[in-house]
Amino acid sequence: MRLGFVVLAHTDLYRAAQMVRHLSEQDCAVAVHIDKKVEPAEFEAFQNDLEGLENVIFPKRTACEWGEFSLVQATLDSAEALLKRFEDVTNVQLISGSCLPIRPVKQLKRFLTRNMKTDFIESVSVKNNFWVKDGLNEERFTMYFPFSWRTQRWRFDKLVSLQRRLGVKRKIPEPLVPHIGSQWWCLTAKTLRAILDDPKRPYYDAYFNWAWIPDESYFQTLARLHSDKIASRSLTFSKFDYLGKPFVFYDDHLKDLTQSNCFWARKMWVGADRLYDSLLDPKRANQSMSQADPKAFDARFEEADQRRCEGGTGRFHQGRFPYDRAERTGVSETPYTVFVGFKGLYREFPDWIENATDALSHGSVFARSHVGARAPEENFAGNLPAVPSIRNRNPKGYLANLLWPARDRHQCLLYDFRDNPRILQTLAYVPMAHIVMIWHSWL
């Protein structure tokens, strides 16, 4: 078998050159597409760096924009040039300039030899699955998207709203059944040639030219027409956060990367010297697939994304409040006590706590007319104002800020059923809140 690569690169070209040189040394055919927006001098330096490598070519350059057909066009042109120049290529993998091999290329070759007729491309039907976490799903195929989501967001959103009101619904070309999935695939040369040589390709290209993020649907849809056997998975690990941005790998991920059952990963931090030195080592040993634990590996990124959205225990900032849920995230990393029903029976209870124990007592923090025993012009530690109206805007955030400065001490507060009820959900769910209640104290 002969393995070929299409590499899409637009930045940090010296790192891309390292990776391309490694592929060349592994007897792989490589077509490197450099974004046309890259300065000519930088592109020329990149070419000079790879001069003399006979199995590396530089296809026609296209100015690429995220979410637009230009990315598909660059891939099509590069794949066409690769298969024309290296006719003996049996499998083609699409990667980016910021990718690195998790497992040695020789191990990937053996894997593909055992699966010679299989196309590895994540290809999910938009009708039966919900691959898209947040955003347009079926509408990406039935509306027109002439504006960039990144650079012309206002026009993009207004046009989508207008098309929804007008009931715009483009006809999907027969016999296409829309599928979506990861941009990064590994196709057999037979399937890829069938896609490139399809007599209806100009029609398909014109249709996908108006679709949204066609690099996640063009090959994913057409492969279903021409492939004999599809394994709906990508051989490149690429994980996105809730904002749609890819997670970045650093040197300290080196040991964990082989937990993935993929052969490549993106995207690598440009300064991760240890990653590049280790993963591009030609003498690197095969990495056992039996030791892979993809679910555990994936769970780490889910946990990181959740923490980014919701904050850690007791840690919040204003951007996280819309994603914040009391049953998931606590307001303190250490235990604290809430005395319910004590205020009406034991007037001096807060003072007694501080005199008899080492605990810090805040009093009736959520009383309707005041915050503890402090006057409105007073502040808690951390410049937190003792103003009920400010507290009531976000009771959970207020409590988190109140408890944080003295987290090295056990802290207490009083609660009465006449107090602000919005904090009850937090107190009921978070595990660090120890509730001490005098039942029916209101009587």
Side-chain angles (χ1 to χ4, degrees), residues 411-432:
Q411 301 178 74
C412 307
L413 59 133
L414 301 181
Y415 186 85
D416 184 83
F417 288 109
R418 289 164 294 196
D419 293 349
N420 189 319
R422 289 180 57 202
I423 196 62
L424 283 177
Q425 187 182 30
T426 297
L427 299 179
Y429 276 109
V430 296
M432 289 299 177

Side-chain angles (χ1 to χ4, degrees), residues 141-142 170-173 176 202-211:
F141 296 98
T142 58
R170 286 203 297 155
K171 183 180 179 182
I172 299 173
L176 297 186
Y203 182 36
Y204 297 152
D205 289 1
Y207 166 75
F208 279 101
N209 188 51
W210 294 101

Side-chain angles (χ1 to χ4, degrees), residues 136-189:
L136 301 168
N137 194 32
E138 292 186 52
E139 289 176 323
R140 65 169 65 194
F141 296 98
T142 58
M143 289 184 179
Y144 295 89
F145 298 94
F147 301 120
S148 169
W149 181 80
R150 282 189 170 177
T151 61
Q152 299 172 292
R153 181 76 61 86
W154 185 86
R155 290 182 175 181
F156 182 97
D157 291 341
K158 290 295 183 184
L159 183 59
V160 168
S161 298
L162 178 62
Q163 291 182 86
R164 283 172 176 165
R165 288 200 303 270
L166 297 177
V168 173
K169 194 169 184 179
R170 286 203 297 155
K171 183 180 179 182
I172 299 173
E174 295 183 355
L176 297 186
V177 178
H179 283 67
I180 53 180
S182 170
Q183 176 186 358
W184 314 107
W185 42 255
C186 183
L187 299 176
T188 62

Side-chain angles (χ1 to χ4, degrees), residues 23-284:
L23 293 177
S24 175
E25 292 170 352
Q26 302 299 310
D27 193 33
C28 297
V30 188
V32 190
H33 179 275
I34 303 300
D35 196 318
K36 198 171 184 179
K37 291 182 291 185
V38 172
E39 293 295 331
E42 190 178 357
F43 174 61
E44 186 177 348
F46 178 78
Q47 283 183 304
N48 293 337
D49 191 16
L50 297 174
E51 190 175 7
L53 301 180
E54 295 183 357
N55 49 354
V56 177
I57 61 172
F58 301 94
K60 175 186 173 183
R61 297 170 66 194
T62 300
C64 298
E65 292 290 344
W66 182 89
E68 297 184 10
F69 190 76
S70 52
L71 275 172
V72 177
Q73 190 63 59
T75 305
L76 290 168
D77 292 341
S78 301
E80 207 160 13
L82 181 77
L83 294 176
K84 184 177 180 180
R85 174 72 178 273
F86 306 101
E87 296 182 356
D88 59 337
V89 164
T90 57
N91 300 78
V92 179
Q93 182 161 10
L94 175 65
I95 59 175
S96 78
S98 61
C99 286
L100 281 181
I102 297 176
R103 291 175 168 78
V105 175
K106 59 184 179 182
Q107 191 173 353
L108 171 60
K109 288 181 178 180
R110 279 200 284 269
F111 174 81
L112 293 175
T113 300
R114 294 194 301 269
N115 299 274
M116 205 64 187
K117 296 182 179 181
T118 303
D119 293 294
F120 293 91
I121 178 169
E122 189 175 34
S123 178
V124 181
S125 172
V126 295
K127 290 187 176 181
N128 301 326
N129 294 275
F130 294 94
W131 183 81
V132 179
K133 288 185 178 181
D134 186 20
L136 301 168
N137 194 32
E138 292 186 52
E139 289 176 323
R140 65 169 65 194
F141 296 98
T142 58
M143 289 184 179
Y144 295 89
F145 298 94
F147 301 120
S148 169
W149 181 80
R150 282 189 170 177
T151 61
Q152 299 172 292
R153 181 76 61 86
W154 185 86
R155 290 182 175 181
F156 182 97
D157 291 341
K158 290 295 183 184
L159 183 59
V160 168
S161 298
L162 178 62
Q163 291 182 86
R164 283 172 176 165
R165 288 200 303 270
L166 297 177
V168 173
K169 194 169 184 179
R170 286 203 297 155
K171 183 180 179 182
I172 299 173
E174 295 183 355
L176 297 186
V177 178
H179 283 67
I180 53 180
S182 170
Q183 176 186 358
W184 314 107
W185 42 255
C186 183
L187 299 176
T188 62
K190 177 178 177 291
T191 298
L192 189 54
R193 283 195 173 97
I195 292 173
L196 295 171
D197 298 336
D198 192 312
K200 288 188 175 182
R201 183 182 148 192
Y203 182 36
Y204 297 152
D205 289 1
Y207 166 75
F208 279 101
N209 188 51
W210 294 101
W212 190 49
I213 320 183
D215 52 282
E216 293 179 351
S217 58
Y218 183 91
F219 291 95
Q220 293 74 6
T221 299
L222 293 180
R224 290 289 174 178
L225 288 181
H226 300 291
S227 177
D228 296 324
K229 182 180 179 182
I230 286 182
S232 185
R233 55 165 291 203
S234 175
L235 299 183
T236 300
F237 182 85
S238 181
K239 188 75 175 175
F240 293 85
D241 63 16
Y242 76 101
L243 292 174
K245 295 184 178 181
F247 282 98
V248 178
F249 292 101
Y250 299 90
D251 282 340
D252 51 0
H253 289 113
L254 179 59
K255 186 178 179 180
D256 300 322
L257 277 170
T258 53
Q259 282 194 314
S260 168
N261 62 347
C262 295
F263 288 86
W264 288 78
R266 75 175 301 267
K267 126 183 214 175
M268 305 297 175
W269 180 48
V270 66
D273 295 331
R274 192 154 61 95
L275 271 182
Y276 277 87
D277 292 342
S278 299
L279 298 182
L280 295 181
D281 182 359
K283 298 179 181 179
R284 186 164 171 251

